Amino acid sequence: MFEAIELGRSLSKKEFKTEEQRFRVELLQLQRQLAEAKIATLIIVSGVEGGGKGDVVDSLNKWFDSRGIETHAFWDETDEECERPDAWRYWRRLPARGSIGIMFGGWYWDPVYQHMAGQIDDAELDAASRRIKTLERMLQQDGLLIIKFWFHLSKKRFEKQMKQRREVTRHLPQAGNGKPSSYYHHFQVSAERVIRHTDTAENPWHLIEADDACFRDASVARILGAILAQRLSENAFVDRRASHHEPVALPDGGDKTILDTLDNSRTMERDEYKQQLKKYEERLKKLAWQAYDAKRSCVILFEGWDAAGKGGAIRRLTTPMDSRLYRVFSAAAPTDEESAHHYLWRFWRQIPRAGYTTFYDRSWYGRVLVERVENFAKSHEWQRGYQEINEFEEQITEHGIVLIKFWLHITPDEQLSRFEEREQTAWKQYKITADDWRNRDKRDMYTIAVNEMILRTSTGKAPWSLVAANDKLTARIEVIKTVCERLEEALHG
């Protein structure tokens, strides 16, 4: 693969200076147009050591307006990053719509170096490549323009560079006999395998011959200009938040959903409730500290009908826990900053550190519920949401995070009773809004969306727990009992 671009091409400094004056103007104009069109652009700069990645990134920051561009390097993992899934540090640095982000190595850095150093085998490298390809496809479908550059040096040029940069040589990952020539061979083998697996029509690699710095930089500028201009000319960007009125199909008269299987007639006496609650609170208090000591994070999310008791259930869970061990994230309508990113961006940012718990009061499932029913997402957007959500949850559970998902179900009559109680109780009136009544009118549509959500996202690693919640006491005990059992299983097998 790499031998095919070792053609000895070069560009004189005079020719480069002349060309640079032209493409600097062009790139600045394109950057302004990207900002106006709200197109997010991610430039990934990778390649062999000594290939000039740093010099190219410095040039990009000079050619573009620095106010609309951010650069991120991933050489060393912080303690905060080590305690979360690998993808967390990349998600939180994705560019917003209308801006440009540059990543040194990006999500390619670790798999390539781990493979060349023998820390992972071919199968593990291929699995990492598949995850990368899935991530890039998902981001590209959401409108992110991804441009990937790989800088290649001939072996002769690489060895010369390493002799001139002995301080770099000492910090290279060890492979083979530890000599630069051995490093070069192992790195090329690992890199070629990753590139072959992640070079797609939607997100292709651009291999750059980097022996000559002027040719390298000019090649990057030419490719960038062509890709950005093409994206703008195709008018490919679509406002992903635009309304698209496509009604949710209602079930035929006799059809049932999975929610109809829940028994909402169960009740519990208050004395029994207090006894059960005390028992499970003591268990949960101990388990929360055991999870902290074991560095096991927990994500507990609640979805359900308005007034189904999500807030009350969360309060019963947090009461016995030390307040230093958890936080509650309420997913309201996204802010302007959140809307400028992929919908999963704001949820990735809330993933807890090792040993801590995050409660999500409503979650990423809004994509296939409210955004579907209320036409905030187009059909092709929420339909691919199921796969995106499953992949997201697979990543966090593979990292060791305990994921517990609750749907709290109440009947229409019980919901009406709770709505009316809220309107009549002064300290509860803030809980009831016009949107709640409007959503209630669309309950049939939401029922179909909930049923499909459960069927398509209840997986072996991330099953749904469906809770009949007409009786608040019964529901709260079922929730805290489920959390205790799932934590005990995770911590003690």
Side-chain angles (χ1 to χ4, degrees):
M1 175 187 291
F2 294 117
E3 293 81 357
I5 62 170
E6 291 184 10
L7 303 177
R9 291 168 293 186
S10 63
L11 191 69
S12 70
K13 291 184 179 180
K14 181 178 180 181
E15 292 173 314
F16 175 75
K17 288 295 183 183
T18 301
E19 190 169 348
E20 185 182 32
Q21 294 177 4
R22 176 187 59 77
F23 60 64
R24 283 189 68 176
V25 174
E26 177 187 3
L27 291 176
L28 279 171
Q29 292 175 342
L30 290 169
Q31 183 184 15
R32 285 193 290 269
Q33 293 173 35
L34 291 169
E36 292 171 359
K38 299 295 184 183
I39 298 176
T41 304
L42 175 62
I43 302 172
I44 295 178
V45 175
S46 196
V48 70
E49 291 297 330
K53 297 184 291 292
D55 292 338
V56 169
V57 171
D58 289 343
S59 295
L60 291 175
N61 278 275
K62 179 178 68 174
W63 298 337
F64 287 115
D65 186 337
S66 60
R67 293 171 294 181
I69 189 168
E70 287 190 5
T71 301
H72 304 286
F74 303 98
W75 294 321
D76 298 311
E77 282 187 298
T78 65
D79 291 341
E80 187 179 28
E81 291 170 340
C82 290
E83 294 183 1
R84 291 181 169 89
D86 293 339
W88 180 79
R89 59 176 177 162
Y90 304 117
W91 270 93
R92 62 199 294 260
R93 291 178 173 88
L94 289 175
R97 305 190 200 280
S99 65
I100 297 174
I102 300 175
M103 289 187 179
F104 273 97
W107 33 76
Y108 291 95
W109 182 276
D110 287 340
V112 170
Y113 280 98
Q114 289 169 356
H115 183 261
M116 65 163 290
Q119 297 171 6
I120 61 175
D121 58 22
D122 289 352
E124 292 171 312
L125 181 63
D126 293 345
S129 298
R130 286 192 295 272
R131 287 193 294 269
I132 289 172
K133 188 160 61 173
T134 297
L135 171 61
E136 292 180 347
R137 184 192 69 242
M138 177 168 58
L139 296 174
Q140 180 265 334
Q141 288 175 337
D142 189 63
L144 178 65
L145 176 58
I146 302 174
I147 306 173
K148 304 186 296 188
F149 292 105
W150 190 277
F151 300 116
H152 172 73
L153 289 175
S154 65
K155 185 177 180 180
K156 180 179 179 180
R157 181 64 179 171
F158 171 78
E159 292 178 344
K160 182 178 179 180
Q161 288 280 71
M162 291 303 99
K163 288 180 181 179
Q164 296 173 351
R165 302 169 64 189
R166 295 186 182 278
E167 73 284 357
V168 174
T169 306
R170 289 196 297 270
H171 292 89
L172 291 179
Q174 295 300 304
N177 58 20
K179 295 180 180 179
S181 58
S182 179
Y183 166 91
Y184 182 86
H185 169 73
H186 284 84
F187 181 84
Q188 299 297 80
V189 170
S190 301
E192 182 173 334
R193 193 178 187 96
V194 168
I195 290 173
R196 281 193 289 106
H197 281 294
T198 59
D199 185 42
T200 64
E202 299 80 14
N203 299 299
W205 276 104
H206 301 278
L207 306 184
I208 306 294
E209 185 178 13
D211 281 22
D212 180 79
C214 290
F215 175 82
R216 177 199 64 207
D217 292 2
S219 297
V220 169
R222 292 167 188 160
I223 292 171
L224 273 177
I227 293 175
L228 298 181
Q230 180 182 359
R231 177 62 182 272
L232 288 164
S233 66
E234 289 175 350
N235 195 26
F237 180 82
V238 177
D239 187 347
R240 305 290 166 175
R241 294 160 292 168
S243 178
H244 181 66
H245 297 285
E246 183 171 322
V248 176
L250 296 176
D252 294 333
D255 284 0
K256 288 187 176 182
T257 71
I258 195 170
L259 298 179
D260 295 317
T261 65
L262 299 179
D263 181 9
N264 249 318
S265 64
R266 296 181 302 162
T267 60
M268 179 176 289
E269 296 296 328
R270 184 160 291 276
D271 287 344
E272 181 185 359
Y273 167 73
K274 290 180 179 179
Q275 181 181 0
Q276 293 284 327
L277 183 62
K278 181 179 180 180
K279 178 181 71 172
Y280 286 115
E281 282 182 336
E282 291 175 354
R283 287 172 63 181
L284 182 57
K285 182 178 182 179
K286 294 178 182 178
L287 287 166
W289 279 111
Q290 289 174 14
Y292 174 78
D293 292 336
K295 298 292 185 181
R296 291 297 297 272
S297 306
C298 190
V299 167
I300 305 175
L301 71 86
F302 285 84
E303 296 285 353
W305 300 112
D306 293 329
K310 295 181 290 296
I314 291 174
R315 283 193 294 275
R316 271 57 186 189
L317 291 171
T318 57
T319 297
M321 295 177 63
D322 190 301
S323 59
R324 293 168 293 183
L325 298 181
Y326 72 85
R327 66 185 304 269
V328 179
F329 174 72
S330 297
T335 64
D336 290 343
E337 181 186 20
E338 291 167 343
S339 295
H341 293 83
H342 191 283
Y343 73 94
L344 287 175
W345 179 79
R346 62 173 173 156
F347 301 110
W348 264 108
R349 298 176 74 200
Q350 307 301 328
I351 295 296
R353 297 184 67 165
Y356 293 85
T357 296
T358 296
F359 294 93
Y360 288 85
D361 184 356
R362 297 200 184 276
S363 66
W364 43 91
Y365 283 98
R367 184 63 154 188
V368 295
L369 293 177
V370 64
E371 291 187 37
R372 169 182 176 174
V373 176
E374 303 297 338
N375 300 305
F376 297 148
K378 295 186 177 182
S379 177
H380 67 274
E381 293 173 330
W382 62 256
Q383 285 177 0
R384 68 172 181 255
Y386 302 111
Q387 181 180 356
E388 293 172 346
I389 287 170
N390 286 338
E391 290 166 349
F392 166 47
E393 293 180 349
E394 182 178 10
Q395 287 183 62
I396 64 176
T397 54
E398 283 183 347
H399 182 70
I401 293 176
V402 182
L403 174 60
I404 308 173
K405 307 187 299 190
F406 290 105
W407 174 268
L408 302 189
H409 178 62
I410 56 175
T411 61
D413 289 343
E414 178 63 21
Q415 185 184 51
L416 177 61
S417 175
R418 294 185 186 185
F419 276 14
E420 291 174 343
E421 179 190 6
R422 287 180 174 184
E423 285 189 327
Q424 296 165 10
T425 306
W427 59 274
K428 289 186 177 181
Q429 289 175 354
Y430 77 95
K431 292 185 176 183
I432 187 74
T433 67
D435 284 341
D436 295 325
W437 288 105
R438 185 174 55 79
N439 292 341
R440 176 177 162 79
D441 290 338
K442 296 183 178 181
R443 183 171 173 121
D444 285 345
M445 295 182 180
Y446 276 102
T447 298
I448 298 305
V450 171
N451 187 65
E452 186 170 4
M453 173 195 77
I454 294 169
L455 291 175
R456 299 182 67 176
T457 63
S458 192
T459 64
K461 294 183 178 180
W464 276 100
S465 295
L466 309 181
V467 180
N470 268 19
D471 183 69
K472 293 181 179 180
L473 305 186
T474 301
R476 290 168 182 171
I477 294 301
E478 184 170 346
V479 166
I480 192 171
K481 177 183 177 182
T482 299
V483 171
C484 288
E485 291 175 346
R486 291 288 301 279
L487 281 174
E488 286 172 342
E489 180 183 1
L491 294 170
H492 308 304

